[in-house]
Amino acid sequence: MQLYLDTANLGEIREAASWGVLSGVTTNPTLMAREKGADFQATIQEIASLVDGPISAETIALDAEGMIREGLEYAQWHPNVIIKVPSTTEGLKAVYALAKQNIRTNVTLCFNPIQALMAARAGAFIISPFVGRVDDIGVDGIQLIREIRGVYNAGGIQTRILSASIRHPRHIVESALAGADIATCPYKVLQQAMQHPLTDIGIERFLADWQHRQA
Ligand code: E4P
């Protein structure tokens, strides 16, 4: 399973990219709005220069025509830009039209396997089920990943399953085991993923022993 970073913060992207673990980046309007005053196009282009992989940029329009217009514009920014559209029938129209022009899409805000099947049939490159937000309403988010994997395998569907709305490191492990192709993670979660108290204690002990070694 590949790891993407779920942020529009260039500092976080630069740092995580230096760890060598990033295969792509996802952004959304909320994440963009957190970067006060940042220009959308310039930010996406800067991200694309930092990470060599799919970079998702989300459309704002709610109608297919508007999504297609925005998608065609974003696609000019960099060859790695993926057009993010919502899991709606207007979104499907946009996916279908953009796919005909070889423009890759990421269908976001997916909350059930039927949305995932329809997005794939319309030609989506990526489907983004929101694991954390499903957990939030008392339903098993990881089960959603498992069901989409089952549906896709049954139909020989190649659309990539991107586990989104990741809240903690365990979500990453469970997404991989449930068959996700990608997990997109907030920076904090990627940091937490490498933390372990026994690693810290081990480092401390090694250093202490090294300092007290006999000459
Ligand atoms: C995915 O691409 C989304 O940007 C993201 O994972 C949303 O997650 P949230 O529930 O933390 O907002």
Side-chain angles (χ1 to χ4, degrees):
M1 185 181 75
Q2 293 185 326
L3 297 172
Y4 286 11
L5 196 59
D6 196 24
T7 185
N9 184 283
L10 297 175
E12 292 179 350
I13 295 167
R14 209 169 278 120
E15 174 61 19
S18 75
W19 305 343
V21 301
L22 290 189
S23 299
V25 175
T26 49
T27 66
N28 66 35
T30 303
L31 296 171
M32 269 312 302
R34 275 186 205 152
E35 306 309 309
K36 304 257 179 275
D39 177 73
F40 187 26
Q41 177 177 349
T43 302
I44 294 294
Q45 286 172 326
E46 182 67 22
I47 295 172
S49 76
L50 295 171
V51 178
D52 186 18
I55 313 297
S56 291
E58 190 156 343
T59 54
I60 300 300
L62 296 179
D63 63 305
E65 204 183 310
M67 290 179 205
I68 294 164
R69 191 176 52 249
E70 289 171 7
L72 290 172
E73 185 198 334
Y74 302 172
Q76 303 299 314
W77 296 348
H78 193 280
N80 285 346
V81 170
I82 308 295
I83 313 306
K84 223 172 170 188
V85 301
S87 296
T88 60
T89 49
E90 290 302 298
L92 292 181
K93 287 184 206 169
V95 167
Y96 186 48
L98 291 169
K100 281 189 199 157
Q101 303 194 49
N102 292 320
I103 294 175
R104 295 177 295 174
T105 51
N106 172 352
V107 177
T108 190
L109 291 166
C110 169
F111 291 95
N112 71 45
I114 305 150
Q115 288 176 315
L117 175 62
M118 291 177 73
R121 288 300 174 214
F125 176 63
I126 290 174
I127 184 73
S128 289
F130 275 42
V131 170
R133 293 196 199 184
V134 172
D135 283 355
D136 288 346
I137 57 164
V139 183
D140 183 358
I142 293 296
Q143 180 60 16
L144 172 59
I145 303 289
R146 218 172 277 122
E147 287 184 5
I148 296 172
R149 172 48 63 210
V151 168
Y152 279 11
N153 284 357
I157 291 168
Q158 298 301 316
T159 300
R160 298 178 193 188
I161 303 172
L162 180 151
S163 188
S165 190
I166 293 279
R167 298 282 160 76
H168 48 74
R170 194 64 207 161
H171 267 159
I172 303 176
V173 177
E174 288 176 2
S175 295
L177 294 174
D181 299 294
I182 305 155
T184 192
C185 314
Y187 178 71
K188 197 184 87 184
V189 176
L190 273 193
Q191 269 186 324
Q192 288 170 341
M194 276 306 284
Q195 286 166 3
H196 198 287
L198 291 179
T199 304
D200 297 339
I201 291 167
I203 291 170
E204 238 171 73
R205 279 194 200 151
F206 283 153
L207 281 181
D209 289 345
W210 178 254
Q211 273 153 14
H212 295 113
R213 74 191 186 282
Q214 298 294 329

